[in-house]
Structures are given as structure tokens and as C-alpha cells.
Amino acid sequence: MPRPGWQKSSFSTGGEGNCIELAATATGHVHLRESDRPDDIATSAPHALAGLLLVLKNESWGPSRRR
């Protein structure tokens, strides 16, 4: 099984810690991991990850934003 090609987020700071990394899979899913815990990998469908990122970017989640 080929290893995924991990890419560091452009928002991650330099150095070896606190980086979010992404890798595409052959099945079209996306792997996510934190650089300081490389064995803990979350897998998502691209559209689900895009939806999560949109919500986080707009900060429209959490009790303080509910109306």
C-alpha cells in the first residue's frame, strides 16, 4: 500500500510542531493529521471536509452564535 504524500497547511508556522497536514487517498478521500502525532489520522470525504472548513472559517458554530 503506497504511503500518502503529506502536505503541510499554508497556515502552519515553521518548525516541526503544531502543523496540520493533509494527504489525498487513491479512493478520493482526504487524510488529516497533526505533525506532532503522525499516527493519529482522521479520514474524510472531500465535501465533508470542505463543509467543516467553511463553517470554521465563518465562525458560525457554537452556542454564542446561535440565535
Side-chain angles (χ1 to χ4, degrees), residues 32-53:
L32 297 117
R33 71 180 184 183
E34 205 172 327
S35 61
D36 60 348
R37 296 189 61 143
D39 294 330
D40 294 339
I41 299 170
T43 302
S44 174
H47 67 276
L49 178 59
L52 173 63
L53 294 174

Side-chain angles (χ1 to χ4, degrees), residues 1-6:
M1 184 161 146
R3 291 183 152 185
W6 294 99

